[in-house]
Amino acid sequence: MDVVMEKLVSLCKRRGFIFPSSEIYGGINGFWDYGPLGVELKRNIKEAWWRDHVQLRDDMVGLDSSIIMNPKVWEASGHLGGFSDPMVDCKSTKERYRADQLYVFAYIFPAVNHKGEPTEAWLAGLGSSPEEAAELPEKRAAKLAKKFGQPIAPPTVIPYMQLSPADREKVIGPSTDERGTLTEPRSFNLMFKTFVGALENESSVAYLRPETAQGIFANFKNVVDTGRVKIPFGIAQVGKSFRNEINPRNFTFRSREFEQMEIEYFCRPEEAGEWYAYWRKARFQWYVELGLKSERLRLRDHGKEELAFYSTATADIEYAFPFGVSELEGIAHRGDYDLSQHMKFSGKDLSYFDEERKERYVPHVIEPSAGADRAALAFLCEAYTEDEVGGEPRTVLKFHPRIAPIKAAVFPLVKRDGMPELAEAVYRDLKRHFQVFYDEKGAIGRRYRRQDEAGTPFCITVDSQSLTDDTVTIRDRDTCRQWRVPLAGIVAAIRDLLEGHPDP
Ligand code: GAP
């Protein structure tokens, strides 16, 4: 794992952001638990998303649909037939890999075999890009070079999916030293299956939803009939989704249980292009405003070959994670595909009567689909900073105040002379307004460091001067600057700071 990721994973564990699920039993691959700080961070992200996209807008409403739905939903959506990734199994180690993440690095070494031919080694690596997949093959090639001499040229890189059956026989898989143990790519359904009711048979099969989106389409008519909505409008939903991912990895980036924040924005067919452009830009900007630097973010438009057959355009918002540039959110122009499919499979009319135009049509849909866990991971990566304060190294999480788990911490400078009592009163006062933390244990410098690691933007200290002039100090996490404010105005001062007004 990348060094920064290793440090971040360990900080997340140590400070109570993210733990491996059911760790006391050895964990379970692809599942994670959010600890006291992590749950606040993720809630703040979801709440910021909900506030900005539902509550502050006139054209959006919310929904909270069930995780298990009638399995026909998944027939209509195509998930039952098509929601599968081509997978490759290793016959020797029984490992299973996503075929689109297997890259083969074909090396040629100068040593010749008994036929006088140079030695070849076709080494497979795993990653979302050839660069990411190169690590293991490079290590293995360096070992082989000791025996066969330095490779005569850089390796040829071939996606495993493009190999002929004969060439597949030459490949050495990522978890073995034998050749030809990898199978041809085969489909594997990603939906978790369960049974509803007492009987476990074909008629009781149901699925944990792999996306929240279909709950929105299935409720389109309910919302139109009851919600007094008028096109263009969107339905938003935040909730858990489940995918039996083959390679959960990169910490929470690819998990088997995760949360999505999805919008289905319904519009007139001829206005869909404009709304697509609008959401593409608006969603990018949302991340920037919450602190993701735009140079680490990029909008990547899908090429024609990547588009689903019904989609006219799709773009991914990608973030430069320490393990590589990867998808944070997808924005898809889905046309009328989903509503039409549900009309076909349910037999219900899901068309919309446009009062203004006096015409009936099936609305087109723009879908900005984000992951709350991926957003949390990106914000953690972005915030992670190592710097020096007074010549001492420190680790600090520079979260935007809006998503910081704790907004302010309150300390008495020392545990005597009435300072704890006054500090506690300040804490009680602030707690009615913000998520705050009280700490009187240990040296003040260590208390500041602990809050820096938790990403708390402001620390308030009650010192001996506070007892005589009713002022306290505020310390800024990022600059470490301190200044005094009157006790009477502390709530307003913290509110101003959290809202981004410049400090005095
Ligand atoms: N309704 C469209 C849809 O679900 P997607 O690109 O498959 O599209 C949308 O997923 C977002 O959900 C992704 O951009 C990502 O943020 C999040 N997501 C998808 N699979 C995930 C996984 N296995 N672990 C964590 N987040 C995931």
Side-chain angles (χ1 to χ4, degrees), residues 30 79 83 98 210-214 217 241-245 248-249 252-264 287 316-317 327-332 334 367-375:
H79 285 86
F83 190 57
R98 272 176 63 158
E211 59 170 29
T212 63
Q214 296 306 322
F217 295 122
S241 293
F242 302 82
R243 295 183 192 177
N244 198 3
E245 297 281 2
R249 64 206 178 91
T252 56
F253 181 83
R254 179 162 289 117
S255 311
R256 289 181 166 137
E257 174 177 342
F258 54 97
E259 268 182 289
Q260 290 187 307
M261 309 185 289
E262 298 200 277
I263 295 170
E264 304 302 329
Y287 290 106
D316 285 345
I317 299 178
E327 177 189 330
L328 199 53
E329 166 162 353
I331 297 118
R334 299 181 62 90
E367 176 188 73
S369 171
D373 307 83
R374 276 202 195 162

Side-chain angles (χ1 to χ4, degrees), residues 20-97:
S21 163
S22 37
E23 199 184 6
I24 57 167
Y25 293 102
I28 170 165
N29 197 9
F31 297 88
W32 299 93
D33 296 341
Y34 287 76
L37 288 178
V39 66
E40 295 292 340
L41 171 69
K42 196 154 81 140
R43 278 178 69 107
N44 290 343
I45 294 169
K46 290 185 286 180
E47 275 164 21
W49 186 90
W50 191 261
R51 180 107 194 104
D52 295 345
H53 296 102
V54 182
Q55 296 178 334
L56 288 177
R57 297 179 64 115
D58 298 326
D59 59 346
M60 295 279 291
V61 291
L63 180 79
D64 187 6
S65 69
S66 64
I67 285 173
I68 293 178
M69 294 189 270
N70 188 313
K72 286 220 173 88
V73 168
W74 308 113
E75 272 177 52
S77 68
H79 285 86
L80 257 184
F83 190 57
S84 51
D85 277 342
M87 305 305 307
V88 173
D89 289 316
C90 176
K91 287 180 265 186
S92 151
T93 63
K94 310 292 175 225
E95 299 262 339
R96 181 169 272 177
Y97 310 106

Side-chain angles (χ1 to χ4, degrees), residues 99-370:
D100 62 346
Q101 291 182 349
L102 262 180
Y103 290 90
V104 174
F105 293 70
Y107 283 91
I108 301 175
F109 297 92
V112 290
N113 62 17
H114 64 281
K115 291 187 204 155
E117 296 158 343
T119 308
E120 279 186 32
W122 290 48
L123 306 170
L126 265 182
S128 353
S129 62
E131 295 75 44
E132 211 185 302
E135 195 181 330
L136 177 68
E138 275 171 9
K139 271 195 200 140
R140 291 183 146 191
K143 275 196 194 152
L144 293 174
K146 289 192 186 135
K147 208 161 143 198
F148 303 119
Q150 285 305 319
I152 55 177
T156 310
V157 187
I158 318 149
Y160 186 80
M161 302 266 264
Q162 290 174 15
L163 291 183
S164 66
D167 282 343
R168 282 206 290 269
E169 287 304 312
K170 300 184 199 165
V171 175
I172 299 174
S175 56
T176 174
D177 291 327
E178 285 171 69
R179 287 167 185 244
T181 63
L182 298 182
T183 63
E184 80 283 7
R186 297 187 281 223
S187 275
F188 176 87
N189 198 293
L190 294 184
M191 279 200 293
F192 279 100
K193 216 178 195 180
T194 188
F195 300 95
V196 173
L199 292 179
E200 291 196 5
N201 59 29
E202 271 313 297
S203 70
S204 64
V205 166
Y207 301 91
L208 303 193
R209 69 180 175 202
E211 59 170 29
T212 63
Q214 296 306 322
I216 298 181
F217 295 122
N219 278 290
F220 174 73
K221 193 168 155 43
N222 283 337
V223 174
V224 168
D225 290 349
T226 58
R228 295 169 60 186
V229 286
K230 232 171 57 201
I231 265 178
F233 75 93
I235 305 179
Q237 168 153 242
V238 177
K240 289 263 178 159
S241 293
F242 302 82
R243 295 183 192 177
N244 198 3
E245 297 281 2
I246 306 308
N247 284 317
R249 64 206 178 91
N250 288 333
F251 199 18
T252 56
F253 181 83
R254 179 162 289 117
S255 311
R256 289 181 166 137
E257 174 177 342
F258 54 97
E259 268 182 289
Q260 290 187 307
M261 309 185 289
E262 298 200 277
I263 295 170
E264 304 302 329
Y265 198 80
F266 300 95
C267 54
R268 293 176 178 137
E270 67 279 14
E271 290 172 2
E274 264 168 62
W275 282 113
Y276 171 69
Y278 166 85
W279 281 110
R280 198 176 162 282
K281 202 163 142 206
R283 289 299 306 141
F284 186 93
Q285 207 45 39
W286 188 80
Y287 290 106
V288 175
E289 276 159 23
L290 280 182
L292 290 195
K293 289 198 188 70
S294 55
E295 64 266 28
R296 298 186 73 91
L297 278 177
R298 75 172 191 200
L299 258 168
R300 188 180 65 81
D301 291 302
H302 284 205
K304 281 218 160 59
E305 68 295 345
E306 272 180 281
L307 289 179
F309 69 90
Y310 49 79
S311 175
T312 45
T314 295
D316 285 345
I317 299 178
E318 296 181 327
Y319 178 72
F321 288 94
F323 47 81
V325 176
S326 301
E327 177 189 330
L328 199 53
E329 166 162 353
I331 297 118
H333 182 326
R334 299 181 62 90
D336 63 2
Y337 176 73
D338 305 274
L339 288 179
S340 301
Q341 283 292 100
H342 286 298
M343 281 170 71
K344 203 157 97 192
F345 280 75
S346 69
K348 301 282 184 312
D349 181 11
L350 304 181
S351 64
Y352 171 87
F353 184 71
D354 193 324
E355 286 288 351
E356 241 168 69
R357 298 208 172 163
K358 305 285 176 232
E359 58 174 320
R360 183 169 280 285
Y361 52 84
V362 178
H364 280 208
V365 169
I366 309 302
E367 176 188 73
S369 171

Side-chain angles (χ1 to χ4, degrees), residues 412-425 438 440 462:
L413 181 64
V414 287
K415 243 165 94 179
R416 57 182 152 76
D417 304 336
M419 287 181 220
E421 291 76 6
L422 185 54
E424 186 152 354
Y438 178 80
E440 55 178 28
V462 169

